[in-house]
Amino acid sequence: MPGKSKKTKKVQKKFVLDCTHPAEDKIMDPSDFATYLNEKIKVAGKTGNLGTNVIIQKEAFKVNILSDIPFSKRYLKYLTKKYLKKQWYQRRVAVGTFFFFQMSIACKL
């Protein structure tokens, strides 16, 4: 049966970044983290080019990311580590102590 085309479903991925432990310990601010992700996430090789493909929402101590395009959990881990490293250096200079934290990233299809 030539001529039949396969329709691909649009898969929307939802990532939930739970920042309760670092926020309660005052290591990071979830709203500041959401704006950081909004500025740093690359779509089609450009930062700040989210459009309607990627949506970032903040709910209490959680940051939700909805994506209509292929998006990896590894990239979110990379950006999270980069943000926390930046925060850690700023706090280390200011306070001079070390911080240990627990954070989870969940992916739902």
Side-chain angles (χ1 to χ4, degrees), residues 10 27 29 34 58 71 77 93 101:
K10 223 180 199 185
I27 295 173
D29 181 27
K58 185 195 145 310
F71 203 77
K77 281 183 168 182
V93 169
F101 53 88

Side-chain angles (χ1 to χ4, degrees), residues 32-51:
D32 186 37
F33 181 55
T35 55
Y36 176 81
L37 288 176
N38 205 359
E39 293 170 357
K40 297 294 181 175
I41 289 179
K42 286 185 179 182
V43 176
K46 297 179 183 177
T47 57
N49 187 22
L50 299 180

Side-chain angles (χ1 to χ4, degrees), residues 20-82:
T20 53
H21 295 290
E24 287 173 351
D25 295 339
K26 297 181 181 175
I27 295 173
M28 67 183 288
D29 181 27
S31 59
D32 186 37
F33 181 55
T35 55
Y36 176 81
L37 288 176
N38 205 359
E39 293 170 357
K40 297 294 181 175
I41 289 179
K42 286 185 179 182
V43 176
K46 297 179 183 177
T47 57
N49 187 22
L50 299 180
T52 58
N53 296 327
V54 180
I55 300 169
I56 300 173
Q57 302 167 340
K58 185 195 145 310
E59 298 174 2
F61 292 127
K62 294 183 179 182
V63 178
N64 298 328
I65 300 168
L66 302 169
S67 175
D68 292 335
I69 57 173
F71 203 77
S72 68
K73 182 177 171 180
R74 181 177 287 182
Y75 184 56
L76 286 177
K77 281 183 168 182
Y78 167 75
L79 288 174
T80 304
K81 280 184 174 182
K82 199 170 178 183

